[in-house]
């Protein structure tokens, strides 16, 4: 599970307050780092879609915060250095084994072989 | 009367939240048994197939802007996740075995439920839903699935939905709620025939590689004995065997094929729709089947045809009510007056079993499919009357597809006399709700106002729509 994916994921357990299921807390037992080709334009376009705070939090929990800034720098589209760091965190860091935990309900979703399983039981469904 | 039908009758009496809950539970059970379990059991077979992408879906994906976030909801083994490398593709499926296969290909995937997508609102630029919605067993669930996808779609983003059509090229499903058998023995039969003809196919190789694995396939279509390959064809092999189903049939095979149709239709099992609104008095003939799951036993019925009211935009149904033999599940009897869309492209058999009008010629296809599709008129009057007839005044024209591949349904037809026996046993039954013309559009227009339909067409035996999320 890449951190870009994680940035979209939310808990949807019945009873969770609106927005209360995001972002999921990562408890990783196995993290992998891949080499992914850097595409500057691609990364620049991804940034507006990302919840920046959640990304920072997730990166930090995996020890890959590096020196990502707390705020988005102005005119980041041309800031290659910055974009490369974002690229690394969004696309190269992968959680292979671990747990995603709903901040509101505490419900845990497993990640196995890089695949998060977000299925709910019938009782938990909204 | 089975417990299931009694249960539904009780539901009808006791309108209320308990009844709704019970219906949901029934729906979930049906889908667990006849969608999820089947895909899980047969997942390893999908792994071996060469899956090709449907051209229109490919096009849709390639048209998305670089840097887009695209979700494939119901991605299976990830056939569409590697089409466009300029976008970020995320695949979701309920079936973990299929997702594992996709993962091995390097795709970013997760196990999810379409009815409860684990994504925050408005995060995807585009979504595809190819051959998924037709697996939901009630109208409410189909609506919920579409609304969930609309929820996670960015304003201005587009969604493409493909569902199996009730109206197929040469015939149509008699009922909308269908169990489709999946037979593992059939595949080896096809292989041995293929061997005889000396014509190797990819399928043959893959099946030989894994003799121990279930290799069931619901599709069984004539083995090509000619050299010709329709190389333009590329379509989903989630339901069929990759190359061979696109091949042209020799005349001998075509005759065998159609002579087997009558017998094989006993194998098509029709369930009653779980939708309360479709509960009505019908005459039914329940046939018990060997080796079919408990659920299937109670819901399967083979419906003699009573209605066919496909409306192409003309007023009123084109076919009057006909009564057919039990075996004539599809409206293929030449004595019937055929609706225009069938005769335009269709195969009409005379008593000698010869074909008039080759189904697979490009010209035929064009005449049947009359130009670009427009959704001019938003006054959808698709409705079901008491007898379950449907009419629509939507002017849907169909776009032409350049290849003449048969639909998923055609590929599921059985070949040969022994096939029926095989299909009766060792079958994984997959549930489908096949869509009438106009039904999908009406479903959106009446229930999903946040989506605005951009285009609609008929493609490879499916109804396809592209819709856009309306900006607030």
């Amino acid at each position: 599970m890449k951190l870009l994916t994680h940035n979209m994921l939310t808990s949807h357990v019945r009873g969770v307050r609106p927005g209360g299921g995001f972002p999921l807390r990562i408890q990783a037992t196995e993290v992998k780092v891949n080499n992914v080709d850097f595409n500057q334009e691609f990364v620049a376009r991804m940034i507006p879609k990302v919840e920046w705070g959640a990304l920072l939090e997730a990166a930090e929990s995996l020890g890959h915060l590096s020196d990502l800034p707390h705020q988005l720098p102005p005119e980041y589209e041309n800031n290659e250095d910055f974009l490369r760091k974002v690229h690394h965190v969004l696309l190269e860091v992968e959680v292979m084994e671990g747990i995603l935990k709903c901040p509101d309900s505490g419900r845990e979703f497993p990640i196995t072989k890089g695949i998060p399983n977000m299925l709910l039981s019938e009782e938990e469904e909204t | 009367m089975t417990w299931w039908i009694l249960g539904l009758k009780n539901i009808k009496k006791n309108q209320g939240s308990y009844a709704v809950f019970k219906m949901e539970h029934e729906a979930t059970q049906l889908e667990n048994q006849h969608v999820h379990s089947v895909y899980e059991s047969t997942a390893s077979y999908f792994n071996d197939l060469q899956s090709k992408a449907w051209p229109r879906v490919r096009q849709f994906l390639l048209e998305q802007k670089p840097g887009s976030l695209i979700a494939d909801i119901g991605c299976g083994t990830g056939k569409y996740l590697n089409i466009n490398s300029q976008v970020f593709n995320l695949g979701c499926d309920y079936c973990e075995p299929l997702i594992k296969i996709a993962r091995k290909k390097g795709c970013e995937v997760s196990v999810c439920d379409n009815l409860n997508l684990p994504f925050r609102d408005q995060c995807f630029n585009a979504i595809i839903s190819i051959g998924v919605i037709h697996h939901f067993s009630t109208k409410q669930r189909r609506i919920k699935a579409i609304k969930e996808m609309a929820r996670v779609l960015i304003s201005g983003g587009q969604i493409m939905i493909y569902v199996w059509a009730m109206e197929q090229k040469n015939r149509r499903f008699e009922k909308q709620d269908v169990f489709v058998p999946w037979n593992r023995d059939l595949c080896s039969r096809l292989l041995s025939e293929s061997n005889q003809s000396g014509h190797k196919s990819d399928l043959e190789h893959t099946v030989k590689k894994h003799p121990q694995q279930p290799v069931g396939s619901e599709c069984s279509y004539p083995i090509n004995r000619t050299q010709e390959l329709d190389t333009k064809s590329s379509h989903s092999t989630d339901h069929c065997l990759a190359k061979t189903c696109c091949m042209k049939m020799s005349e001998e095979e075509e005759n065998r094929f159609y002579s087997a149709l009558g017998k094989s239709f006993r194998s098509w099992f029709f369930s009653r729709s779980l939708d309360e609104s479709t509960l009505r008095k019908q005459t039914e003939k329940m046939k018990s089947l060997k080796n079919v799951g408990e659920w299937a036993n109670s819901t399967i019925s083979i419906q003699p045809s009573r209605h066919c009211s496909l409306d192409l935009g003309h007023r009123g149904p084109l076919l009057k009510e006909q009564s057919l033999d039990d075996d004539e599940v599809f409206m293929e009897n030449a004595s019937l007056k055929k609706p225009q869309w069938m005769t335009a492209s269709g195969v009409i058999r005379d008593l000698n079993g010869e074909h008039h009008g080759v189904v697979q010629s490009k010209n035929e296809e064009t005449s049947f499919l009359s130009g670009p599709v427009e959704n001019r008129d938003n006054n959808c009057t698709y409705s079901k009357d008491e007898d379950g007839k449907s009419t629509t005044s939507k002017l849907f024209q169909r776009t032409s597809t350049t290849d003449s591949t048969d639909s998923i349904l055609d590929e599921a037809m059985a070949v040969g006399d022994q096939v029926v026996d095989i299909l009766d046993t060792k079958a994984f039954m997959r549930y489908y709700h096949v869509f009438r013309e106009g039904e999908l559009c009406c479903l959106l227009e009446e229930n999903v106002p946040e989506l605005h339909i951009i285009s609609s067409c008929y493609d490879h035996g499916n109804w396809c729509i592209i819709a856009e999320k309306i900006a607030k």
Side-chain angles (χ1 to χ4, degrees), chain A residues 1-12 22 24 32 34 39 41-43 45-46 49-51 90-91 94-96 112-120 122 124-126, chain B residues 21 24-25 28 32 65-69 85-88 90 93-94 96 99-100 103 106 108-113 115-121 123-125 141 144 148 151 154:
Chain A
M1 181 199 68
K2 295 181 197 260
L3 291 188
L4 178 52
T5 304
H6 167 262
N7 202 266
M8 308 300 140
L9 287 173
T10 178
S11 164
H12 46 128
F22 178 88
L24 294 161
K32 202 168 95 173
N34 302 308
N39 181 331
E41 192 194 351
F42 182 92
V43 179
R45 282 175 191 264
M46 278 300 159
K49 298 170 177 117
V50 163
E51 287 283 326
L90 277 180
L91 300 171
E94 282 197 65
V95 180
M96 298 306 292
T112 319
K113 295 194 172 75
I115 304 167
N117 187 324
M118 308 303 296
L119 295 180
L120 297 173
E122 246 180 285
E124 287 171 313
E125 279 173 13
T126 46
Chain B
F21 170 75
E24 270 299 291
H25 185 65
T28 312
N32 279 340
K65 289 184 198 156
S68 291
L69 266 169
S85 60
Q86 299 299 303
V87 302
F88 186 77
L90 185 53
D93 204 284
Y94 197 99
E96 196 172 357
I99 285 291
K100 282 181 173 162
R103 177 75 200 178
E108 185 72 356
V109 286
S110 73
V111 180
C112 302
D113 184 352
L115 297 176
N116 282 288
L117 290 174
F119 301 113
R120 48 186 173 87
D121 294 1
C123 51
F124 293 108
N125 298 99
R141 287 165 82 82
K144 189 177 180 191
E148 265 294 274
R151 176 181 68 79
I154 280 174

Side-chain angles (χ1 to χ4, degrees), chain A residues 62-75:
Chain A
L62 298 181
H64 281 268
L65 185 58
S66 58
D67 43 359
L68 278 175
H70 273 89
Q71 305 272 342
L72 279 174
E75 289 174 18

